[in-house]
Amino acid sequence: MKVLILGGTREARQLADIASGERGFEIVSSLAGRVREPVLPAGAVRIGGFGGTEGLRNWLADNAIDAVVDATHPFAGTISSHAAEAARAGGVPIVHLRRPGWSEQPGDRWSRVPDLASAAGAAAEFDRVFLTIGRQGVAAFAGLDEPWFLIRAIDPPTGPVPPHHLLLLARGPFTVAQEVDLLREHRISAMVTKDSGGDLTAAKLTAARTCGIPVVVVDRPPVPEGGECAESVAAAWEWLTAL
Ligand code: NAP
């Protein structure tokens, strides 16, 4: 069975690890090519866009793909909906692997917003904001000239950035102690994050709770209609083996 794993996440790498060691499975992982030095999954890897829904549909047919696991990041909504459409058009089964989102704990001071534009509106109320949303969404905050931003990302943002900022290039995971130190060192008054879910990047939320700092949490785009969903690598693997 030939499987395309749409990746760029830890879960995608874990699934590629499991499946590429199993007899009867041939795995190809796909990365968008956004990160300069990506952590590569086990097995075959292709890098770069497919050329929209049509391009992906053709790629599935040309490569005789039997199943697709959309294990992209919960905020990579475009590729997920392309994948859902392309798979449906080509009659290829697809599952969307989505780790559960985060939930507010006692002591948290969260406000949930539907998108990055609303997050920028909320951030304008604070003076020293820790922006931990990855580099791609930073442009939404570029028009804010009052707050100072600590922008943390793996690679530098390529689009516009807010005028008052410090760019911190770093790749997690980070410990709670490291995150608390960072918040204190930069006298952060609010944090902006996406609801990525998972434990890999959750230490910043614990740190914000510890320091009593408000957090603006951007909600996820919806999972495309029609495809099945799996909340864990184990559930996605079960789906594949059942096929
Ligand atoms: P996106 O907005 O949903 O996708 C934009 C375009 O990038 C897609 O239309 C597709 O181009 C290409 N693309 C995206 N993921 C791809 C993949 N796995 N393989 C091949 N092409 C892909 O995606 P994004 O938010 O820019 O994220 C890009 C990648 O980074 C994803 O794979 C995601 O898992 C990973 N990532 C994203 C985030 C985040 O916060 N968004 C965080 C961590 C990791 P074509 O239309 O040409 O096919």
Side-chain angles (χ1 to χ4, degrees):
M1 184 161 130
K2 202 164 172 193
V3 181
L4 171 67
I5 301 178
L6 295 166
T9 58
R10 178 174 58 159
E11 287 86 347
R13 288 192 294 277
Q14 288 172 336
L15 188 63
D17 258 348
I18 297 170
S20 53
E22 287 287 325
R23 269 194 15 213
F25 283 93
E26 191 183 336
I27 302 298
V28 184
S29 294
S30 175
L31 302 178
R34 299 276 190 279
V35 178
R36 273 191 302 207
E37 290 177 29
V39 185
L40 291 176
V45 180
R46 64 161 302 285
I47 299 182
F50 295 95
T53 306
E54 196 55 34
L56 180 51
R57 185 190 167 173
N58 292 337
W59 195 93
L60 296 178
D62 293 347
N63 290 275
I65 296 296
D66 298 302
V68 178
V69 180
D70 166 26
T72 56
H73 190 270
F75 280 84
T78 306
I79 186 69
S80 291
S81 68
H82 287 180
E85 269 180 59
R88 186 170 50 235
V92 180
I94 182 167
V95 68
H96 301 280
L97 169 50
R98 286 287 174 286
R99 60 181 96 123
W102 288 315
S103 358
E104 209 168 344
Q105 310 281 318
D108 279 334
R109 299 171 59 197
W110 287 12
S111 44
R112 283 194 173 269
V113 294
D115 50 35
L116 286 170
S118 320
E125 304 297 316
F126 298 96
D127 57 347
R128 297 180 68 84
V129 181
F130 179 25
L131 206 52
T132 160
I133 53 164
R135 71 184 165 104
Q136 291 191 74
V138 172
F141 299 79
L144 300 180
D145 46 17
E146 289 285 325
W148 174 89
F149 288 92
L150 174 65
I151 301 172
R152 185 170 68 193
I154 297 177
D155 291 319
T158 46
V161 290
H164 310 296
H165 75 269
L166 175 71
L167 179 61
L168 177 61
L169 296 181
R171 192 198 296 257
F174 307 98
T175 64
V176 173
Q178 286 170 326
E179 299 290 48
V180 166
D181 283 351
L182 192 72
L183 297 178
R184 291 194 175 140
E185 180 189 343
H186 294 284
R187 293 176 286 113
I188 295 299
S189 51
M191 181 190 295
V192 181
T193 178
K194 296 175 179 172
D195 183 9
S196 299
D199 52 10
L200 209 58
T201 54
K204 59 190 175 188
L205 300 172
T206 311
R209 189 181 313 132
T210 306
C211 299
I213 288 173
V215 182
V216 178
V217 181
V218 183
D219 279 337
R220 299 164 164 210
V223 176
E225 282 174 23
E228 288 189 56
C229 277
E231 285 203 340
S232 64
V233 173
W237 177 233
E238 204 172 296
W239 179 86
L240 269 179
T241 49
L243 274 185

